[in-house]
Amino acid sequence: MIKDKVIIITGASAGIGEATAKLLASKGAKVVLGARREEKLKRIVDEIKQAGGQSISQVLDVTRQEDNERIVRLARDTFGRVDAILLNAGLMPNSPLSALKTDEWHQMVDVNIKGVLNGVAAVLPLFVAQKSGHVIAVSSVAGLKAYPGGAVYGGTKWFVRDFMEVLRMESAMEGTNIRTATLYPAAINTELLSTFSDKASLEQMQGIYDQYGISPDRVAEVVAFAIDLPDDTTVNEFTIGPANQPW
Ligand code: NDP
């Protein structure tokens, strides 16, 4: 059931997060949106409300633990509970290691890894106490296979895969009924390529997206499917991509 579920979405100001927020709200969920760009969040909340949905937002930088705790509190104070969190915020400034873009390496570790840790740390005490909850994380096909230019990005996404699998196992062992789902998208047309600073890597990746990219609405459908399953069922992994992309 999606209706009336309270769902926090990180990285909700664009792309997959925005599409998922709108779809879940259209199915009756109460969506709590977080990202750094306030104007974008406000516009999306307005659009959801105009369409008859329920939504609020908070400026959230997932690298800041206190921001993550604040958005969980906001969800609880506004809607009374939290049922799911979509850990979606991320960036992909790919480049060859020899380019030594070390600031970007650290930024990816901070957002793609530590952002996931911070989100889980913020929500887990609540999920454990209420003995229910759903943690959904966006990894990538880059978390399933290595490719040149994606050493650090891929590494952050491999981390998500391992972390989520252990979360699933431990939650089952501890009897907390926490469900997990990890998404492995391939080429999805969003703002993701805007963070590239390495021109050659961007051109190569842009070619792939121009050839194959599909709408983030497709990923939103998968999130909705996972949340809609009965509470006793976890579908732990989804690889989602264009039907014609070999990836
Ligand atoms: P977008 O660039 O369109 O969206 C990224 C979102 O993350 C934005 O809302 C951005 O908002 C937010 N974000 C970035 N940094 C932070 C931060 N520090 N704190 C909070 N929010 C942040 O890309 P996608 O929708 O494609 O990306 C969503 C996820 O999907 C990412 O984890 C990405 O790695 C993954 N993914 C995407 C694929 C694709 O082909 N598009 C393929 C595989 C995985 P703001 O700038 O306002 O903070």
Side-chain angles (χ1 to χ4, degrees):
M1 274 276 288
I2 292 174
K3 190 167 165 24
D4 291 331
K5 278 201 169 145
V6 180
I7 302 168
I8 297 171
I9 300 175
T10 74
S13 63
I16 292 170
E18 175 180 357
T20 305
K22 288 178 173 168
L23 182 68
L24 293 175
S26 76
K27 292 174 181 285
K30 299 164 184 172
V31 288
V32 183
L33 313 186
R36 293 165 305 171
R37 288 172 291 174
E38 189 171 21
E39 285 312 308
K40 287 207 160 224
L41 291 174
K42 284 189 168 155
R43 176 183 54 77
I44 296 164
V45 167
D46 282 349
E47 286 171 13
I48 288 173
K49 285 182 172 166
Q50 273 164 26
Q54 295 185 70
S55 181
I56 47 168
S57 68
Q58 179 207 290
V59 173
L60 163 78
D61 182 339
V62 292
T63 67
R64 293 163 49 90
Q65 179 59 33
E66 59 272 29
D67 282 12
N68 292 272
E69 283 163 8
R70 211 154 49 83
I71 199 167
V72 172
R73 269 201 309 277
L74 175 72
R76 258 184 109 173
D77 291 348
T78 310
F79 296 123
R81 53 182 291 118
V82 180
D83 297 293
I85 187 165
L86 176 63
L87 301 162
N88 166 73
L91 74 163
M92 179 177 74
N94 282 355
S95 59
L97 290 169
S98 56
L100 287 180
K101 291 187 178 282
T102 52
D103 287 351
E104 294 178 353
W105 301 354
H106 290 295
Q107 207 188 348
M108 283 188 274
V109 169
D110 285 346
V111 178
N112 301 1
I113 294 183
K114 292 187 189 168
V116 168
L117 295 178
N118 289 340
V120 168
V123 88
L124 202 54
L126 185 60
F127 285 180
V128 168
Q130 68 192 19
K131 281 198 183 293
S132 72
H134 203 161
V135 180
I136 304 167
V138 185
S139 175
S140 167
V141 288
L144 300 172
K145 60 200 292 185
Y147 65 93
V152 180
Y153 178 72
T156 66
K157 296 302 186 178
W158 281 73
F159 165 84
V160 172
R161 182 186 192 194
D162 179 86
F163 177 81
M164 289 295 289
E165 176 61 1
V166 176
L167 177 63
R168 183 193 67 76
M169 291 169 143
E170 290 183 357
S171 300
M173 288 164 64
E174 292 170 5
T176 47
N177 307 315
I178 296 168
R179 299 195 288 160
T180 57
T182 309
L183 313 184
Y184 303 93
I188 312 294
N189 291 326
T190 65
E191 296 179 6
L192 193 66
L193 302 193
S194 69
T195 56
F196 276 63
S197 67
D198 186 72
K199 202 163 166 282
S201 299
L202 174 61
E203 275 170 14
Q204 193 254 343
M205 195 60 82
Q206 189 68 60
I208 293 173
Y209 279 69
D210 288 347
Q211 186 175 0
Y212 299 115
I214 54 172
S215 164
D217 295 343
R218 308 293 181 270
V219 182
E221 292 283 356
V222 175
V223 177
F225 171 80
I227 293 174
D228 209 19
L229 286 168
D231 287 345
D232 63 1
T233 304
T234 284
V235 181
N236 196 42
E237 303 208 308
F238 297 92
T239 306
I240 311 148
N244 63 354
Q245 184 187 359
W247 74 69

